[in-house]
Structures are given as C-alpha cells and as structure tokens.
Amino acid sequence: MSTCVYPGSFDPITNGHMDIIHRAAMLCDTLIVAVLRNSSKRHPLFSVEERAALIRRSVANIPNVTVDTFDGLLVDYVKSKGASMVVRGLRAMSDFESELQMASMNRRLAPDVEMLFLMTSSEYSFLSSSMVKEIGRMGGDIHGLLPDCIAETVRNRLIGR
C-alpha cells in the first residue's frame, strides 16, 4: 500500500493545487495533503487549522485523500506517516530550480523517500495563492481560481468580512 505526501502552505488552496491533488491521488493508495506550519511566511490569510479545514472541504469527494498539518523537516514527517513519496507541483522552470535544490537535500537526508514532480495543467500554470490573494484584495473575481466550495469564504476574508 503506497502513501504519498503533498506538502505546502496552501494559503489558500487553488485550482492548481486541486489539479495536482486529483492527479496524484490516482498514483497512490493514500495521498496526504500536508499543510506546513511555516513560521517564515508572514501574515498568512488563514491559520494552519483554517487552511486544513478549507482543504478538507475541497477534497471531500476524493476518498483516498486525507489532510494533516506538520512542522519540522518534511522527510521526518514523511517517514512518520510511513510514506514513500513526496509529490510536488511545477508551474514553470523557475519552480524547477528551487524544487531541484529541495529534492537534492531531501534525497541526502532520506535516500529512501522519492520525489515525484507533476507539471500543473497549462490552464493553471499562471496560478498561485499569492495571485489569488492579490486579486481578491483588490476586489477582483476569484471564482474559478479556487474550489467553488471555498470561494466565498476566501473572498470574505480578503475583503475583511
């Protein structure tokens, strides 16, 4: 039975993330979407617990996907879950450079943990959580950029409701 981990900050989860989740879920028995408690990210829109709840709502119809939170080294978390693979999404070459560095370090720390890179579908290659937040804060329409079931919650947070 294979378990994979898809880590990220997901502040908020976007349709680009969902694209990776749907595709990765077909490649393993269990996919854990793991929300990182990242202290270097200043002023998150949602707390880690709120992000996990938004993701749970978004993946409710994918039976082999679970949501968790973690801090510390990714490879330690992966091993603690009995996982054998980490899934990462790539949008552009610039993503590849930083992901390659992280993958190389993770390989050094945990040679038995594989890294799987999935290219985001072209319709989402421009999309990031930061972009969603910027558009929403300026009153732009964020529907279609993130799961419909959370769009209103995110919009309300962005405009201060």
Side-chain angles (χ1 to χ4, degrees), residues 35 37 46-56 69:
V35 182
R37 294 180 184 276
F46 293 98
S47 71
V48 171
E49 292 74 20
E50 289 172 321
R51 284 181 258 159
L54 291 172
I55 297 167
R56 283 186 189 97
T69 64

Side-chain angles (χ1 to χ4, degrees), residues 31 35 37 46 74 89 94 107-108 123 126 131 142 153:
L31 177 66
V35 182
R37 294 180 184 276
F46 293 98
L74 173 61
S94 56
R107 168 71 63 184
R108 185 175 187 288
E123 66 192 286
F126 65 91
M131 188 173 290
I142 60 171
T153 302

Side-chain angles (χ1 to χ4, degrees), residues 72-115:
L73 290 175
L74 173 61
V75 292
D76 291 342
Y77 174 78
V78 169
K79 287 179 178 183
S80 77
K81 294 298 178 180
S84 58
M85 194 176 319
V86 173
V87 175
R88 299 292 293 166
L90 298 174
R91 293 171 298 195
M93 284 304 294
S94 56
D95 286 348
F96 179 76
E97 287 185 44
S98 61
E99 291 293 339
L100 178 62
Q101 283 184 317
M102 280 194 295
S104 297
M105 182 54 73
N106 286 336
R107 168 71 63 184
R108 185 175 187 288
L109 295 171
D112 54 330
V113 174
E114 288 295 330
M115 299 293 291

Side-chain angles (χ1 to χ4, degrees), residues 14-35:
T14 69
N15 282 339
H17 295 128
M18 290 300 298
D19 173 55
I20 297 297
I21 290 168
H22 280 285
R23 292 169 43 222
M26 293 187 290
L27 301 174
C28 55
D29 297 316
T30 302
L31 177 66
I32 302 169
V33 179
V35 182

